Amino acid sequence: MENKSIFSEFLLHGFPDTEELRIIHIVIFLIIYFVAFIENIIIIIVIVYSHQLHSPMYFFLVNLSLQDLGSISVTVPKSMLNSLMNTEAISYSGCVCQVFFLVFFMMSHFFLLCFMAYDRYVAICNPLHYETIMSKKACIQMATSVWMAGLFYSMLYTGNLFSLKFCSRIINQFFCEIPQLVKISCSDSYVSEVWIIILGSCFAFILFVLIGFSYVQIFRTVLRIPSTHGKQKAFSTCLPHLLVICLFMICGTFVYLRPTPSSQSTSNIMISLFYCVIPPVMNPLVYSMRNKELKIAFWKLIICFFPYTL
């Protein structure tokens, strides 16, 4: 390691620097980013312009799409730009911003998934009081608390991480990933690493228990529904959300609780892709594939804006 503790920039050793691989990297990331951007923008526009979708579930879905757009925009464009310019550099302040906004969007995403589970719980287990409990004011307060909690956690997390001194500026990842930054710290990183893991695990455990409790109650209620059609409708609104939660938690937990590789690793990059790049692409598909209301609203909007193209 270099015998320094203050750097003006870091070097992202995420991908091999051969010209052919750089071109492949740019093309793949450009396609992923374009698809994620279009999918999430479409969902936001459809929900905003369709009055029949102005309900708590779709209100939270708009917030989820905003978080997906934010999280993928933090990492992918910078990685593409570096490959395009044939450089690996990212400024110290740029690295701080990446960590801050990535944690901000990821944690607010997690908090939002918890409120979305609560929304489904009230809708299925307590439908008569749904409009009272999930009023417009309550939904705005929930959404605001989600963003504020993510902001608070991100400030705490980023401040603690960059209070460390770094012995190397080489990060074996295509973005400023927290485990890699802890790895190159020349401070007593063990205490910081344990503190980070404990704090993150406590938040994750509490939210996971709340989500788990909601879905236990939901499935108990759904199984008591006499009609098969009613069961299918209830499951179709809950299973996509449960799938998103599982994908997000499994990938994130695996990245932050496993031992951090000391050298560049293809598996390490692939796992990071699955928790910070793939979800923004998959979430819109998961929520829209079996959602008839969203599909109908989408085609109505297309007909409204382009009446002579169909």
Side-chain angles (χ1 to χ4, degrees), residues 1-7 166-169 186:
M1 285 189 175
E2 301 176 32
N3 189 22
K4 293 181 180 180
S5 59
I6 299 176
F7 301 104
F166 301 100
C167 294
S168 173
R169 60 177 186 159
C186 52

Side-chain angles (χ1 to χ4, degrees), residues 87-100:
T87 181
E88 296 177 329
I90 182 171
S91 66
Y92 185 91
S93 59
C95 192
V96 173
C97 287
Q98 267 200 347
V99 171
F100 177 84

Side-chain angles (χ1 to χ4, degrees), residues 5 28 37 39 248 253:
S5 59
I28 291 175
F37 183 84
E39 287 176 343
F248 182 77
T253 302

Side-chain angles (χ1 to χ4, degrees), residues 151-305:
L151 180 64
F152 171 76
Y153 189 85
S154 181
M155 290 172 63
L156 194 65
Y157 215 91
T158 308
N160 177 74
L161 179 63
F162 286 95
S163 65
L164 304 175
K165 295 185 182 297
F166 301 100
C167 294
S168 173
R169 60 177 186 159
I170 297 174
I171 300 173
N172 292 314
Q173 190 54 270
F174 67 93
F175 66 99
C176 290
E177 190 180 47
I178 294 168
Q180 293 292 339
L181 286 166
V182 172
K183 201 75 177 179
I184 63 173
S185 167
C186 52
S187 302
D188 185 7
S189 61
Y190 175 77
V191 176
S192 296
E193 195 167 1
V194 169
W195 185 87
I196 286 171
I197 290 173
I198 290 175
L199 183 61
S201 299
C202 287
F203 271 113
F205 179 75
I206 292 171
L207 294 176
F208 182 74
V209 168
L210 292 174
I211 292 171
F213 174 78
S214 298
Y215 273 99
V216 167
Q217 298 302 316
I218 286 170
F219 289 138
R220 287 178 61 185
T221 303
V222 169
L223 292 174
R224 290 199 295 264
I225 296 175
S227 68
T228 305
H229 176 71
K231 288 181 181 179
Q232 289 177 347
K233 185 177 179 180
F235 277 125
S236 67
T237 60
C238 294
L239 290 180
H241 181 246
L242 197 57
L243 181 62
V244 168
I245 292 171
C246 292
L247 179 66
F248 182 77
M249 288 199 64
I250 291 170
C251 294
T253 302
F254 192 73
V255 167
Y256 285 94
L257 295 185
R258 72 192 178 97
T260 307
S262 57
S263 61
Q264 188 176 354
S265 169
T266 304
S267 63
N268 182 45
I269 294 171
M270 292 304 296
I271 293 167
S272 297
L273 284 172
F274 269 97
Y275 90 92
C276 73
V277 175
I278 301 302
V281 179
M282 292 301 298
N283 287 350
L285 293 176
V286 169
Y287 277 106
S288 61
M289 276 191 301
R290 299 189 65 184
N291 193 315
K292 291 182 180 180
E293 290 180 340
L294 201 58
K295 289 178 182 177
I296 292 170
F298 170 74
W299 288 113
K300 281 184 178 179
L301 205 62
I302 292 293
I303 294 170
C304 179
F305 281 99

Side-chain angles (χ1 to χ4, degrees), residues 93-124:
S93 59
C95 192
V96 173
C97 287
Q98 267 200 347
V99 171
F100 177 84
F101 284 108
L102 189 61
V103 174
F104 170 60
F105 287 118
M106 289 290 183
M107 287 309 299
S108 59
H109 186 100
F110 200 0
F111 286 117
L112 183 64
L113 290 177
C114 185
F115 279 118
M116 290 177 76
Y118 177 71
D119 171 67
R120 293 299 83 203
Y121 163 74
V122 177
I124 293 173

